[in-house]
């Protein structure tokens, strides 16, 4: 926790001790059993403490001219943009399902055994191909386009 506070430039208007308290408040909230963070906040003057800690006014909001300094001190609150996957990657990902893998194996075994055992070799592959077709349709339906 201390390494975060040391990164703050000395000219910052935000109090490093306040940041430690805010981090403590959030960690109490995240690991709460009952109302630990409420008790902590009440010991620090309640809502007024939060308002002073983040240098804002709850009735007016942020001024807006100190946003770069706030981002440098508190960090950015934007979610990271996740890289998108192609349809091929999603399709291959759906084939990681155990049931679909069993069906693919069963289809391959069916094709091989039917080609060996069946008298009519020209139609022996149809049963295995039907299973593979069902797997392909199932995998495509899992993509959620």
């Amino acid at each position: 926790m201390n390494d975060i506070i040391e990164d703050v430039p000395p000219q910052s208007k935000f109090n490093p001790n306040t940041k430690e308290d805010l981090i403590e408040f959030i960690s109490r909230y995240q690991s709460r059993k009952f109302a630990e963070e409420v008790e902590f906040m009440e010991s620090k003057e309640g809502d007024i403490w939060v308002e002073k800690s983040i240098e804002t006014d709850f009735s007016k909001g942020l001024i807006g001219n100190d946003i770069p300094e706030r981002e440098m001190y508190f960090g950015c609150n934007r979610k990271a943009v996740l890289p998108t996957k192609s349809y091929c990657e999603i399709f291959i990902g759906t084939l990681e399902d155990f049931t679909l893998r069993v069906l693919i194996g069963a289809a391959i075994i069916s094709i091989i055994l039917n080609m060996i055992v069946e008298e009519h070799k020209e139609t022996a592959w149809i049963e295995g191909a039907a299973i593979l077709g069902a797997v392909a349709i199932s995998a495509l339906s899992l993509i959620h386009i």
Side-chain angles (χ1 to χ4, degrees):
M1 218 184 296
N2 290 337
D3 58 334
I4 296 172
I5 294 169
E6 291 172 3
D7 292 342
V8 177
Q11 72 273 12
S12 176
K13 68 179 179 181
F14 302 107
N15 182 353
N17 295 330
T18 304
K19 186 172 182 180
E20 279 184 340
D21 287 343
L22 286 169
I23 291 170
E24 174 70 19
F25 172 69
I26 298 299
S27 66
R28 285 180 186 229
Y29 171 74
Q30 291 173 338
S31 63
R32 71 189 263 174
K33 302 260 188 287
F34 182 62
E36 294 85 356
E37 81 283 1
V38 175
E39 294 165 359
F40 179 78
M41 195 165 92
E42 286 175 352
S43 73
K44 299 279 189 185
E45 303 174 29
D47 291 348
I48 297 168
W49 168 75
V50 175
E51 193 172 19
K52 288 179 185 175
S53 298
I54 60 175
E55 295 282 331
T56 190
D57 183 352
F58 285 164
S59 61
K60 297 178 185 172
L62 296 175
I63 297 169
N65 59 0
D66 62 347
I67 290 177
E69 186 179 1
R70 287 178 179 280
E71 282 186 355
M72 189 167 36
Y73 186 75
F74 294 111
C76 183
N77 66 349
R78 291 182 204 98
K79 288 186 175 184
V81 177
L82 299 175
T84 58
K85 291 184 177 181
S86 69
Y87 288 119
C88 289
E89 290 173 323
I90 295 171
F91 178 74
I92 291 170
T94 59
L95 295 178
E96 291 178 7
D97 182 56
F98 178 73
T99 306
L100 292 182
R101 286 184 176 191
V102 168
L103 286 172
I104 291 170
I108 292 170
I109 291 171
S110 172
I111 291 171
I112 291 171
L113 288 178
N114 283 335
M115 292 301 284
I116 293 171
V117 176
E118 286 288 325
E119 289 180 23
H120 304 288
K121 305 257 189 255
E122 62 275 355
T123 59
W125 59 272
I126 294 176
E127 186 176 299
I131 295 172
L132 287 175
V135 167
I137 290 170
S138 176
L140 288 172
S141 69
L142 293 175
I143 290 180
H144 301 291
I145 297 176

